[in-house]
C-alpha cells in the first residue's frame, strides 16, 4: 500500500513538472512577430521592383525617438512625408536635400535608402526568431516526453 502511494506521489510530481501545451502560447508573440516581418519584407521586395527616386528635404530630427529624421518630397504635384531611422554612420541635417526612394504604385511607401537595402534589414531577425521558436517547441516536446504520460487520478 505504501509503495502504491509513493508511486502515485512520484507520478504526481512528474505531472506537475510536465510542460503544458499552454506553454506553447508563450511562443505566439514571437510567431506573430516573424509573420509580420515576413509580410513587411514581401511588401518592400515588391516595392523594390517599382522603385523610383526623387529629391526631398529633411524637415525634422528627433534625437529622443531613435534619432529619426523627417523629410518631405513631391511626386506628380502631391506632397508626401516620411521618417527614417539612420543606420551606421548615416546622418542628415534639417534643410538638407536628400534622395528619396518611393514605390511608384504607392509613394506613401518611401525611404531614404533603396527598398532592397530596407528589405534586407527587415528580414535579418527572422531566422533567429524561427530558430528560437523551433528550439522552444523541441524543448517542450522533449520535456513532455521525459516526464512521461500524464496519469489520471484514480
Amino acid at each position: 500500500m505504501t509503495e502504491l502511494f509513493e508511486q502515485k506521489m512520484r507520478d504526481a510530481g512528474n505531472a506537475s513538472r510536465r510542460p503544458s501545451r499552454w506553454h506553447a502560447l508563450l511562443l505566439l508573440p514571437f510567431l506573430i512577430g516573424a509573420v509580420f516581418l515576413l509580410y513587411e519584407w514581401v511588401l518592400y521586395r515588391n516595392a523594390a521592383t517599382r522603385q523610383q527616386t526623387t529629391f526631398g528635404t529633411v524637415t525634422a530630427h528627433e534625437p529622443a525617438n531613435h534619432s529619426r529624421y523627417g523629410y518631405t518630397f513631391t511626386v506628380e504635384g502631391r506632397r508626401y512625408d516620411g521618417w527614417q531611422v539612420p543606420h551606421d554612420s548615416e546622418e542628415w541635417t534639417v534643410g538638407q536635400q536628400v534622395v528619396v526612394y518611393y514605390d511608384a504604385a504607392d509613394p506613401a511607401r518611401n525611404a531614404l535608402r533603396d527598398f532592397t537595402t530596407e528589405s534586407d534589414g527587415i528580414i535579418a531577425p527572422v531566422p533567429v526568431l524561427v530558430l528560437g521558436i523551433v528550439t522552444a517547441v523541441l524543448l517542450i516536446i522533449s520535456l513532455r516526453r521525459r516526464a512521461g504520460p500524464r496519469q489520471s487520478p484514480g
Side-chain angles (χ1 to χ4, degrees), residues 61-137:
H61 180 218
E62 295 182 352
N65 190 1
H66 305 286
S67 194
R68 74 182 186 157
Y69 291 85
Y71 56 91
T72 61
F73 64 100
T74 304
V75 173
E76 296 177 4
R78 184 165 176 208
R79 182 180 162 201
Y80 293 92
D81 299 308
W83 290 95
Q84 185 74 52
V85 174
H87 289 202
D88 302 325
S89 62
E90 290 177 325
E91 194 172 305
W92 302 281
T93 57
V94 174
Q96 178 182 352
Q97 190 173 29
V98 291
V99 174
V100 177
Y101 299 85
Y102 67 93
D103 182 350
D106 179 13
R109 180 174 302 282
N110 54 73
L112 297 182
R113 283 187 295 276
D114 69 275
F115 288 122
T116 302
T117 302
E118 286 290 298
S119 68
D120 291 345
I122 290 169
I123 198 71
V126 172
V128 175
L129 284 171
V130 171
L131 181 63
I133 291 167
V134 169
T135 302
V137 166

Side-chain angles (χ1 to χ4, degrees), residues 36-50 103 106 109 115-116 118-119 122:
F36 173 75
L37 288 173
L38 285 170
Y39 174 75
E40 284 292 309
W41 177 74
V42 167
L43 288 179
Y44 274 87
R45 275 295 178 183
N46 289 337
T49 64
R50 302 181 299 265
D103 182 350
D106 179 13
R109 180 174 302 282
F115 288 122
T116 302
E118 286 290 298
S119 68
I122 290 169

